[in-house]
Amino acid sequence: MEFSELIRTGRAQAELLRGPEAPPLRGTLCVTSHHLLLSPGTEASPDLWLLLLRSVDSIEKRVAGDSGTITLRCKDLRVLQLDIEGVEATLDIARSIEGLRLGDAWHFHPPERYYQRVARETNAWRLSEVNEDFSLCPSYPRALIVPRSVDDHALARSAGFRQGGRFPVLSYHHAPNGTALLRSSQPLTGPQKRRCAEDEELLRAVLVGARPGARGFIIDTRSAQAAKQARMTGGGTEAKAAYPGWKRLHRPLERGRPLQESFVRLVEACGDLEQSMDRWLSRLEGCRWLEHVKEALSTACLAAQGMEREGACILVHGAEGTDSTLLVTSLAQLILDPLSRTMDGFQELVEREWIQAGHPFQLRCAHSAFSHARPKHEAPTFLLFLDCVWQLGRQFPLSLEFGEGLLLALFEHAYASPFGSFLCNSEKERGLCEVRTRTHSLWSGLNQPKEQRKLRNPLYALNPLAIWPSVEPQSLRLWQGLFLRWTRPPEPSETAWEKVWQIVTDSEKTEGSA
Amino acid sequence: MEHIRTTKVEQVKLLDRFSTNNKSLTGTLYLTATHLLFIDSHQKETWILHHHIASVEKLALTTSGCPLVIQCKNFRIVHFIVPRERDCHDIYNSLLQLSKQAKYEDLYAFSYNPKQNDSERLQGWQLIDLAEEYKRMGVPNSNWQLSDANREYKICETYPRELYVPRIASKPIIVGSSKFRSKGRFPVLSYYHQDKEAAICRCSQPLSGFSARCLEDEHLLQAISKANPVNRYMYVMDTRPKLNAMANRAAGKGYENEDNYSNIRFQFVGIENIHVMRSSLQKLLEVNGTKGLSVNDFYSGLESSGWLRHIKAVMDAAIFLAKAIMVENASVLVHCSDGWDRTSQVCSLGSLLLDSYYRTVKGFMVLIEKDWIAFGHKFSERCGHLDGDPKEVSPVFTQFLECVWHLTEQFPQAFEFNEAFLLQIHEHIHSCQFGNFLGNCQKEREELKLKEKTYSLWPFLLDDLKKYLNPIYNSQSQRFTVLEPSTVSFNFKFWRNMYHQFDRTLHPRQSVFNIIMNMNEQNKQLEKDIKELESKIKQCKNKQTDDILTKELLHSIHPESPTLKSSLCFKEQTLLPVNDALRTIEGSNPTDNRYSDYAEEFSKAEPAVVSLEYGVARMTC
């Protein structure tokens, strides 16, 4: 359910009693998705009164005549009383608070939520629950966004033709020109070059849905040779003749063990404080991490450019479609979509494109860089994503609503977390382990007001344009805040950050009072 | 003007330096007496000062025209294609002549006229007063005095007239010592640390050869160590690698023998010479200029150029110097060979670490005037102002600026000035637009009558102060009195904004600096407004006027705030336009970037085949 639907009423006139010591406050009461807000009339003090809904422990309502009273008992032992004008308003506000105070971020249902956005933009897509019981694809969520003209039966056939059942689904709809970004796994063409009519139809329907005569590009994140070789083991790539209108591009991205080794070698190099300049530079080169950053970013730019400039639809896949595929689709969205660069939008992006999309966090993040165990399934794909986002943030320091703090937190929590968000490898496993009922969501942890100063970018201002980063080696930098976090003195940069915050809040304050 | 044969060429193409598919802008090229100017079809102007040109190259004729590559000392590289070879040849010849002047009098500074009268010009030159600066340090005092030994440049031509020496060092000792030092550059005071009563002194190498001694020189060093009442031991830092210093002994020069000097501790710190530095920068620029540079090639090029290694060596030496004074309370004597390159680097950087005054805008100017200009860093030779020996050119001062930049990165709140300030100074050591950096020593500058014929750079920088201020500077913080930077290798980064300052596409597309600067400005303005209003309200209340008036007042000011607010939201404001080295473009264009070249692939048939063809093509040719 959409959060905002829980808000029954916009506003009402109310008086707030805060106990015997504090004077009562009169003003307009508002309920937002996380806060209860009381804004006093102009003549009184200009301060807003704010209460985090999650801190409400219990709520009690009484109605008498044409007004009502709501008593809120908070987790910090405060008791507050609201006298509200109007019976209907009282009941609405009570219901809103009731619904929202329990509402924590587990109530995010990104497929549905994102679909609502897509549905507002176009009619070409529908939400399919064909994977309701995870039988078609164990690594996909229950609901998926697919072309409206393709029925569930065809989806099932297409799923049979794709590795792990990951048939092409919508990742992002680019409203300005109606193009679509899709992701899937490799087709199971095999040595016999098998075909699947429903799969071909699905991709054809994507182009038709976008606009007449639209073209499509398939970005295969493997080299042409690797894709060819995959045929021997039953995989492969789309044959040109079978998918008219679609062209294939190969952009090999590093994955799996070599990527993990790159990470390990970088961290090793960063741990050596005594090494000479030459040794450091040669190790930085030798680990190839920044090369991977560059490749990931430029592939994402290629995808984004295909949509924005060429007006083409883009399908991204590698082999399983759970690693480098997600890297490319999520970065392309950050580049194109201003909403995904907001605090909420970015969290939703991570939830939708990584957690729900079935990136196997449990396997990939079982060990980090120091483990002596021989890596099996470990790979820092998600970290590579965060690094690329950090590079975007450095090149567009005003365009991301979140700061380095959020990226660091996501890195930490992906590897070890008291929260449940990154547990398990897929939605199916999360269901079986009852993650939603037995753990807390990371997002509700992060969205505490006291965390905000660390996580937010004080200089953020909405930038409606696409952000095209430079991918020249001179423009990419080692993410010192992460890789040298424990080896360099953090103090000067932290106090500088504090200073920036102070200037920004001062500026808000002075503007407010002027 | 006699060098200019063609003043205007149309239909000239300016190639994008990093594009692999030869993207270009078409426009008109103009040649003036001082500048080369290119105006493209969007009316964007690119000005290149002749003095900034380091090299001009005419490449082999192509079908589209004659390529002309110009490399500038401020690291701008432009690649023109001139349609007709004749025009190209004319421009090439003119630029060769104009960029390399034979006489000082032909330099821009002698014709530059900013419309100031003589008294303003003089005031500008008096802005920095070194006598004032020594007073600030606390000299003369009971241990140090002003010596008149070099008043007529008789002892050392490359030193300034005013020199500070230990009070107990007599003139015969000074004269004797100067005869034992290369170019007569005997030990003198560079910086005096008042709290520690310790001194930084500088000189050139001793002419010791294998066994020569000089009692006066030994006495002078002893006088320096005696001038420090706390620690009798002093350090002698030879900033050269030991091998180089030893090689100098064969030429009758060399370094101090610890046995002959009492109470000294001798130390090599291993900074390479000007020739190594020159070729290191050359290598660095070659790597950076490569089209389609891969990350690996970039880092292996950065490594093999050795540039960051040299920067670290300078920084390490300065830290050693600062520690000797702060931790051991010892005075330090610094020298290299002639004592005007590495010695200037280490002394100035060491003082900057020790004294927060040098981290202010004014203080930094003073530091440059003192340790670089007055003490005879050969700016004209090192920057190649005149057509001279190319082997004398070396980026010694650039390295100093880069070290300062690294410090600003490590201590973002410790400096009153920002990166743009450093870049602007770098621009002007080569521009020859102002007199400060012309000539190689004070004597030469006096002979050129620079103070009468040219202008000083500093007042012009101060006029534009807003551009150069660090918005998060914290002058109060006690922690920043002495900087203790970390020189772990990974703290050294490639200074993109210097070496690619004109390659717009490589830079961040949004400037935090401008935003914060504006916010700060507006905060101050608004706070002032608030104060004014409050005082007006008070006045009104005193006068017992009714509060309608107050309300009116409040309303009268209200229309102001929305405009301020909206100006804050627009990031493309022009309130503080820093020179075009600091970019403030919002958003960006995918065609700016190299991945746009991939876009061609969108129109290619089957990429698999294409890449195969590439492979074949490479193998056959």
Side-chain angles (χ1 to χ4, degrees), chain A residues 287-308:
Chain A
C287 77
R288 306 190 61 229
W289 180 261
L290 285 169
E291 182 89 44
H292 304 325
V293 170
K294 177 185 153 99
E295 290 308 322
L297 271 177
S298 44
T299 308
C301 289
L302 181 71
Q305 210 178 2
M307 297 172 72
E308 167 105 343

Side-chain angles (χ1 to χ4, degrees), chain B residues 63-82:
Chain B
T63 46
S64 50
C66 190
L68 190 68
V69 180
I70 299 172
Q71 290 200 30
C72 298
K73 293 169 183 172
N74 54 7
F75 310 114
R76 188 201 283 273
I77 294 180
V78 284
H79 193 150
F80 291 117
I81 293 190
V82 184

Side-chain angles (χ1 to χ4, degrees), chain B residues 272-287 301 304-307 309-310 390-391 393-395 399:
Chain B
E272 298 288 350
N273 65 25
I274 57 165
H275 310 294
V276 175
M277 301 308 190
R278 179 178 57 244
S279 71
S280 170
L281 180 62
Q282 198 53 46
K283 275 183 213 153
L284 182 76
L285 296 179
E286 269 165 36
V287 172
S304 67
S305 76
W307 183 254
R309 175 158 46 87
H310 301 316
K391 283 209 169 69
V393 175
S394 186
Q399 287 183 319

Side-chain angles (χ1 to χ4, degrees), chain A residues 248 395 472 491 507 511, chain B residues 479 509 523 565 594 607:
Chain A
R248 199 150 40 81
Q395 295 195 25
E472 296 294 334
E491 255 180 47
S507 137
E511 268 183 44
Chain B
R479 242 167 342 125
R509 307 312 161 86
N523 281 357
K565 243 183 198 161
R594 184 137 57 83

Side-chain angles (χ1 to χ4, degrees), chain A residues 215 217 224 240 247-249 251 269-270 272-273 275-278 280-282 284-285 288 290-291 294 298 301-302 305-306 309-310 394-399 459 461 463 465-477 480 484 487 491-493 495-496 499-500 503-504 506-507 510-511 513-514, chain B residues 18 288 293-296 298-300 302-303 308-309 312 405 409-413 471-472 479 488-494 496 500 505-506 508-512 515-516 519-520 522-523 526-527 530 558 565 568 571 586-591 593-596 598-599 601-608:
Chain A
R215 292 188 300 158
F217 291 98
K240 197 184 160 203
K247 264 179 208 161
R248 199 150 40 81
L249 301 171
R251 292 268 140 239
C270 290
D272 185 353
L273 298 177
Q275 64 200 329
S276 70
M277 184 64 73
D278 289 1
W280 158 245
L281 290 173
S282 100
L284 189 58
E285 176 211 339
R288 306 190 61 229
L290 285 169
E291 182 89 44
K294 177 185 153 99
S298 44
C301 289
L302 181 71
Q305 210 178 2
R309 296 273 147 157
E310 308 283 316
R394 259 186 50 80
Q395 295 195 25
F396 297 89
L398 314 174
S399 298
L459 301 171
N463 177 357
L465 306 169
I467 51 174
W468 302 104
S470 159
V471 295
E472 296 294 334
Q474 294 97 318
S475 307
L476 301 175
R477 258 204 190 171
Q480 296 208 341
L484 302 176
T487 41
E491 255 180 47
S493 59
T495 52
K499 177 78 182 169
V500 172
I503 291 173
V504 173
D506 277 2
S507 137
T510 47
E511 268 183 44
S513 48
Chain B
F18 291 101
N288 291 339
L293 182 65
S294 78
V295 176
N296 285 357
F298 174 64
Y299 280 102
S300 68
L302 199 55
E303 181 200 340
L308 288 178
R309 175 158 46 87
K312 176 171 151 57
W405 174 74
E409 286 284 290
Q410 273 196 43
F411 303 97
Q413 292 192 270
I472 57 171
R479 242 167 342 125
V488 177
S489 299
F490 38 64
N491 280 318
F492 292 88
K493 291 165 286 193
F494 172 67
R496 189 189 53 219
H500 287 295
T505 56
L506 297 187
R509 307 312 161 86
Q510 295 177 313
S511 158
V512 171
I515 287 290
I516 299 187
M519 281 188 177
N520 248 348
Q522 283 166 1
N523 281 357
L526 287 166
E527 266 163 24
I530 290 170
H558 256 277
K565 243 183 198 161
L568 193 73
K571 272 156 276 116
E586 282 309 297
S588 57
N589 192 327
T591 51
N593 298 306
R594 184 137 57 83
Y595 48 77
S596 64
Y598 297 146
E601 291 191 23
F602 284 130
S603 46
K604 279 180 193 159
E606 181 61 46

Side-chain angles (χ1 to χ4, degrees), chain A residues 179-479:
Chain A
T179 53
L181 179 66
L182 295 103
R183 51 179 161 76
S184 70
S185 61
Q186 63 177 341
L188 300 173
T189 51
Q192 288 87 33
K193 299 192 182 175
R194 283 195 300 136
R195 292 175 58 168
C196 169
E198 288 81 1
D199 193 71
E200 292 163 17
E201 173 55 29
L202 198 162
L203 288 191
R204 203 185 60 77
V206 170
L207 296 187
V208 171
R211 73 186 139 76
R215 292 188 300 158
F217 291 98
I218 297 168
I219 296 179
D220 192 324
T221 62
R222 302 164 295 177
S223 68
Q225 202 191 2
K228 216 171 185 180
Q229 270 171 0
R231 286 221 296 265
M232 297 305 130
T233 49
T237 190
E238 290 82 355
K240 197 184 160 203
Y243 296 87
W246 288 86
K247 264 179 208 161
R248 199 150 40 81
L249 301 171
H250 290 273
R251 292 268 140 239
L253 295 182
E254 201 62 272
R255 64 196 78 216
R257 192 174 294 175
L259 191 61
Q260 177 72 10
E261 276 163 13
S262 168
F263 173 40
V264 170
R265 287 169 67 189
L266 175 60
V267 171
E268 263 172 24
C270 290
D272 185 353
L273 298 177
E274 301 301 319
Q275 64 200 329
S276 70
M277 184 64 73
D278 289 1
R279 176 104 180 99
W280 158 245
L281 290 173
S282 100
R283 287 172 88 174
L284 189 58
E285 176 211 339
C287 77
R288 306 190 61 229
W289 180 261
L290 285 169
E291 182 89 44
H292 304 325
V293 170
K294 177 185 153 99
E295 290 308 322
L297 271 177
S298 44
T299 308
C301 289
L302 181 71
Q305 210 178 2
M307 297 172 72
E308 167 105 343
R309 296 273 147 157
E310 308 283 316
C313 293
I314 306 278
L315 168 66
V316 184
H317 72 70
E320 287 118 333
T322 53
D323 292 281
S324 47
T325 305
L326 306 180
L327 185 62
V328 175
T329 56
S330 53
L331 285 173
Q333 290 179 55
L334 267 177
I335 291 166
L336 291 175
D337 181 13
L339 281 181
S340 69
R341 295 178 224 139
T342 63
M343 193 76 172
D344 286 346
F346 184 68
Q347 291 179 4
E348 200 209 298
L349 182 75
V350 170
E351 175 88 28
R352 180 162 53 83
E353 283 298 284
W354 289 88
I355 299 173
Q356 307 245 345
H359 177 65
F361 279 98
Q362 200 72 14
L363 292 173
R364 297 291 180 259
C365 302
H367 295 289
S368 179
F370 291 129
S371 167
H372 293 295
R374 219 178 134 67
K376 285 194 206 104
H377 302 288
E378 288 82 357
T381 322
F382 186 62
L383 172 61
L384 185 59
F385 164 70
L386 296 176
D387 197 335
C388 293
V389 177
W390 181 82
Q391 306 279 354
L392 280 173
R394 259 186 50 80
Q395 295 195 25
F396 297 89
L398 314 174
S399 298
L400 304 184
E401 195 183 9
F402 48 92
E404 187 178 34
L406 178 68
L407 302 176
L408 289 174
L410 289 178
F411 164 68
E412 273 174 26
H413 286 288
Y415 279 86
S417 173
F419 298 99
S421 293
F422 289 116
L423 285 182
C424 303
N425 295 307
S426 63
E427 285 302 280
K428 182 184 179 187
E429 287 181 18
R430 270 172 220 121
L432 292 173
C433 297
E434 298 173 29
V435 166
R436 293 260 145 75
T437 48
R438 295 169 59 187
T439 72
H440 292 278
S441 155
L442 171 64
W443 311 125
S444 48
L446 289 180
N447 291 334
Q448 305 280 344
K450 67 176 163 53
E451 303 285 328
Q452 298 301 300
R453 210 165 161 116
K454 273 189 287 182
L455 306 178
R456 276 183 192 271
N457 174 8
L459 301 171
Y460 170 73
L462 178 78
N463 177 357
L465 306 169
I467 51 174
W468 302 104
S470 159
V471 295
E472 296 294 334
Q474 294 97 318
S475 307
L476 301 175
R477 258 204 190 171
L478 178 71
W479 185 5

Side-chain angles (χ1 to χ4, degrees), chain A residues 31-267:
Chain A
V31 188
T32 73
S33 44
H34 295 285
H35 291 92
L36 189 62
L37 244 131
L38 187 80
S39 97
T42 41
E43 66 280 356
S45 73
D47 293 332
L48 278 181
W49 177 84
L50 212 72
L51 178 74
L52 184 69
L53 288 172
R54 207 167 294 114
S55 68
V56 173
D57 217 10
S58 81
I59 171 167
E60 205 179 285
K61 56 178 186 281
R62 261 175 304 136
V63 192
D66 52 356
S67 70
T69 302
I70 296 177
T71 309
L72 300 173
R73 293 188 168 77
C74 302
K75 291 173 184 164
D76 60 3
L77 311 180
R78 260 187 305 176
V79 180
L80 304 164
Q81 189 182 320
L82 286 164
D83 293 331
I84 300 166
E85 291 169 17
V87 177
E88 217 27 60
T90 310
L91 293 177
D92 275 347
I93 284 180
R95 250 178 269 141
S96 296
I97 297 174
E98 185 69 27
L100 289 162
R101 78 185 170 97
L102 300 171
D104 68 16
W106 282 138
H107 287 245
F108 274 12
H109 280 302
E112 289 84 348
R113 188 172 164 182
Y114 185 64
Y115 176 68
Q116 286 177 347
R117 183 178 153 192
V118 174
R120 281 197 296 274
E121 295 165 352
T122 168
N123 195 27
W125 300 86
R126 71 183 180 95
L127 193 69
S128 165
E129 297 190 345
V130 64
N131 200 36
E132 178 71 53
D133 53 358
F134 302 110
S135 59
L136 271 195
C137 173
S139 64
Y140 268 166
R142 291 171 198 274
L144 295 150
I145 307 172
V146 296
R148 183 167 294 282
S149 60
V150 177
D151 62 19
D152 283 357
H153 172 72
L155 293 179
R157 297 292 301 259
S158 170
F161 182 62
R162 295 274 173 176
Q163 181 173 3
R166 294 175 71 94
F167 56 90
V169 296
L170 183 79
S171 163
Y172 167 64
H173 179 253
H174 190 48
N177 61 5
T179 53
L181 179 66
L182 295 103
R183 51 179 161 76
S184 70
S185 61
Q186 63 177 341
L188 300 173
T189 51
Q192 288 87 33
K193 299 192 182 175
R194 283 195 300 136
R195 292 175 58 168
C196 169
E198 288 81 1
D199 193 71
E200 292 163 17
E201 173 55 29
L202 198 162
L203 288 191
R204 203 185 60 77
V206 170
L207 296 187
V208 171
R211 73 186 139 76
R215 292 188 300 158
F217 291 98
I218 297 168
I219 296 179
D220 192 324
T221 62
R222 302 164 295 177
S223 68
Q225 202 191 2
K228 216 171 185 180
Q229 270 171 0
R231 286 221 296 265
M232 297 305 130
T233 49
T237 190
E238 290 82 355
K240 197 184 160 203
Y243 296 87
W246 288 86
K247 264 179 208 161
R248 199 150 40 81
L249 301 171
H250 290 273
R251 292 268 140 239
L253 295 182
E254 201 62 272
R255 64 196 78 216
R257 192 174 294 175
L259 191 61
Q260 177 72 10
E261 276 163 13
S262 168
F263 173 40
V264 170
R265 287 169 67 189
L266 175 60
V267 171

